[in-house]
Amino acid sequence: MNRRHLLQAAAALALAPVLPRPGLAQGQSAAAIDRAALGRVEAYLNSLRTLRARFLQVAQNGASAQGTALISRPGRMRFDYDPPEPLLLVASGGQVLMYDRELRQPTAVPASSTPLGLLLTPEIRLSGNITVVGTERSGGFLRVALHRTGARAEGLLTLSFAEAPMELRQWTVLDAQARETRVTLYEVETGIALENRLFDFNDPRFLEAEAARR
């Protein structure tokens, strides 16, 4: 994935507002939403404390990049792209950092304004502050489209779960230019120890260490 496409896709994942996904996100009534399935999703996400996985990110034009994803709930997430891609995405302390190791250029925004910020709250409830606009089952997967209540323009996120057993496998966002970005997780490990320093980008030594890796 070239630099321009990688930056666009990373921004769609963590920084940019997204639009509803046609089909699943639109035209469904409340009766079409599987409430029992949502209860299982809530229980799974709230029981999830740490996760490490490989990820494959695919942009609208088919370009792709891979790397390692780390989640430490609540509040922390990290996407470390494989070389030669220079990008690092880290969420911590209520902020999301996008860091270009090659240019040594950081960009930060509030996590509350990003689609993936929905996964980082201490207690996830798929009601109240979050509005579910659709659920769908196919091929052994459950897909849930949701957004922050009263802030649909901020972004809509579609999460995909394997159901037997329940496991987060994919999410999809669509940016304001109708460019879809999909992230698929594989080699998933949960319940592992993750050091806080992996997410502490407010420590000046963090960016120094990341720049040195190039």
Side-chain angles (χ1 to χ4, degrees), residues 18 32 44 52 54 58 62 73 84 87 92 96 98 106 118-119 127 136 158 167 171-172 185 202 207:
V18 295
Y44 165 75
R52 177 170 58 213
R54 294 288 295 164
V58 181
R73 297 194 62 253
L87 286 189
S92 182
V96 177
M98 183 167 70
L118 297 171
L119 295 176
S127 59
E136 176 184 81
T158 300
E167 185 174 74
W171 56 78
T172 305
L185 303 180
N202 288 314
L207 294 184

Side-chain angles (χ1 to χ4, degrees), residues 1-194:
M1 184 181 291
N2 66 37
R3 172 67 62 80
R4 181 172 62 87
H5 290 142
L6 179 63
L7 287 171
Q8 288 173 347
L13 279 177
L15 304 178
V18 295
L19 300 174
R21 179 184 174 188
L24 176 60
Q26 296 179 1
Q28 289 196 338
S29 66
I33 295 173
D34 188 332
R35 299 295 174 183
L38 292 184
R40 293 184 61 221
V41 168
E42 282 185 355
Y44 165 75
L45 290 175
N46 285 310
S47 69
L48 182 65
R49 286 295 171 254
T50 59
L51 177 148
R52 177 170 58 213
R54 294 288 295 164
F55 71 83
L56 172 64
Q57 175 181 305
V58 181
Q60 177 73 25
N61 66 350
S64 64
Q66 298 187 71
T68 300
L70 303 175
I71 297 175
S72 180
R73 297 194 62 253
R76 298 184 179 96
M77 187 178 292
R78 176 178 174 129
F79 291 87
D80 207 340
Y81 288 79
D82 291 346
E85 309 300 354
L87 286 189
L88 173 69
L89 293 178
V90 184
S92 182
Q95 293 182 299
V96 177
L97 173 82
M98 183 167 70
Y99 181 62
D100 187 318
R101 293 189 180 105
E102 192 169 276
L103 299 178
R104 301 189 180 187
Q105 181 177 354
T107 302
V109 297
S112 61
S113 68
T114 71
L116 292 182
L118 297 171
L119 295 176
L120 301 178
T121 56
E123 185 175 16
I124 296 174
R125 288 286 175 264
L126 301 182
S127 59
N129 292 334
I130 292 177
T131 296
V132 175
V133 296
T135 59
E136 176 184 81
R137 276 192 172 93
S138 63
F141 287 86
L142 169 67
R143 296 174 180 84
V144 180
L146 50 84
H147 63 82
R148 207 178 305 276
T149 300
R152 184 158 180 159
E154 171 190 295
L156 187 143
L157 180 66
T158 300
L159 304 174
S160 298
F161 301 87
E163 290 199 85
M166 180 71 70
E167 185 174 74
L168 179 63
R169 291 290 190 84
Q170 188 181 89
W171 56 78
T172 305
V173 296
L174 194 67
D175 71 17
Q177 286 72 47
R179 292 186 299 249
E180 185 178 81
T181 300
R182 183 175 68 252
V183 172
T184 301
L185 303 180
Y186 60 100
E187 297 179 9
V188 178
E189 301 175 86
T190 59
I192 57 172
L194 295 175

